[in-house]
Amino acid sequence: MMNVMNTFVRPSSTRYLGSVMARASTAAYHSSASAAAHEYHGTTILCVRKNGKVCMMGDGMVSMGSMIVKPNAVKIRRIMAKGSDDPQKGTLVGFAGTTADAFTLLERLEGKLDEYPGQLSRSCVELAKGWRTDKYLRRLEAALIVADENVSLEITGNGDVLEMSDGVISVGSGSPYALAAARALMSVEDMSAEEVADRAMNVAADMCVHTNKEFIVHTLEDKGKVEDGKK
């Protein structure tokens, strides 16, 4: 079953920026490699790049089994660039997974961004190396989507840093629905990135019991892909 799913979720539009070690034999905790619904994290995070805009949107539900614990949790953060107060220069980060694990990874990512300013891809690869190889970090159960003005990436606990060339990335339990809806709407020329994300997230909320409609939204201007560290 796992081989079938891996074949399905890695279409030609997916480009690997880093696969720093051999695949883990344990189940992955991101939308693009799980084999069964119970292996997903109970949330939906979606990032869309379209018509010069980047929109990251996430729901607010926190659940414990079949019980809703909180409806309006904040699962998206904007990490400001070191020495800059310009929100446009920040990095958007959305996470699915346990809160403590996610914030541990956010702190590590922030450190890498400070170490490699303006180089999001390299920062993510370095984080993935540590996440995959460190004895403590490899136990963390979370999935991350990160985006700046140039690129959107998904980081997995298997050591992968993935970029979707169609401009749509999603993680969490509702990600298959949000991803499919967003990709279908990308061809509608007069729809903005935020409109595509909003409609796709509503589809996910209607179909996934672990996703609600208390959406958090962050946006950036899309400057287009540039080589790391160069303008």
Side-chain angles (χ1 to χ4, degrees):
M1 183 62 179
M2 181 64 75
N3 290 335
V4 174
M5 288 298 293
N6 283 340
T7 301
F8 171 73
V9 295
R10 285 180 183 150
S12 58
S13 63
T14 303
R15 181 166 65 87
Y16 283 82
L17 295 183
S19 184
V20 297
M21 288 197 67
R23 293 211 157 277
S25 58
T26 56
Y29 289 91
H30 58 102
S31 66
S32 57
S34 289
H38 68 273
E39 293 173 350
Y40 292 116
H41 287 305
T43 190
T44 304
I45 307 295
L46 175 68
C47 183
V48 176
R49 305 183 79 94
K50 188 174 190 287
N51 295 341
K53 291 284 188 178
V54 183
C55 177
M56 187 176 292
M57 188 175 295
D59 77 308
M61 183 182 294
V62 176
S63 59
M64 184 179 296
S66 60
M67 180 176 65
I68 298 174
V69 178
K70 186 178 181 180
N72 59 347
V74 178
K75 304 173 186 177
I76 298 176
R77 296 286 188 275
R78 187 189 298 264
I79 300 176
M80 301 301 294
K82 189 175 182 179
S84 174
D85 294 327
D86 183 3
Q88 174 63 26
K89 299 300 180 182
T91 300
L92 304 182
V93 184
F95 62 85
T98 59
T99 303
D101 291 356
F103 274 90
T104 298
L105 292 169
L106 286 175
E107 289 177 0
R108 294 293 183 112
L109 176 60
E110 192 167 5
K112 295 300 182 183
L113 289 171
D114 288 342
E115 187 176 354
Y116 305 107
Q119 302 181 65
L120 180 60
S121 297
R122 182 174 181 182
S123 299
C124 291
V125 170
E126 293 299 322
L127 175 64
K129 286 181 181 180
W131 191 356
R132 178 67 181 88
T133 60
D134 186 273
K135 187 176 181 180
Y136 166 70
L137 290 180
R138 73 175 61 170
R139 298 176 181 273
L140 301 182
E141 298 180 358
L144 298 179
I145 292 178
V146 297
D148 65 4
E149 60 185 2
N150 301 311
V151 66
S152 302
L153 304 168
E154 177 185 351
I155 313 174
T156 79
N158 287 339
D160 293 327
V161 178
L162 309 175
E163 178 189 4
M164 304 298 183
S165 61
D166 61 2
V168 182
I169 302 179
S170 185
V171 296
S173 57
S175 63
Y177 318 116
L179 194 64
R183 284 178 172 168
L185 293 169
M186 288 292 282
S187 61
V188 182
E189 294 184 2
D190 60 347
M191 288 188 68
S192 67
E194 190 167 349
E195 289 172 332
V196 170
D198 183 70
R199 289 199 184 184
M201 286 293 294
N202 273 282
V203 170
D206 288 338
M207 300 183 71
C208 175
V209 297
H210 295 292
T211 301
N212 66 11
K213 295 187 178 183
E214 297 288 335
F215 301 144
I216 300 295
V217 184
H218 284 280
T219 59
L220 290 171
E221 297 290 330
D222 183 9
K223 298 300 184 181
K225 187 69 179 292
V226 298
E227 188 176 347
D228 272 350
K230 298 181 180 180
K231 299 294 183 184

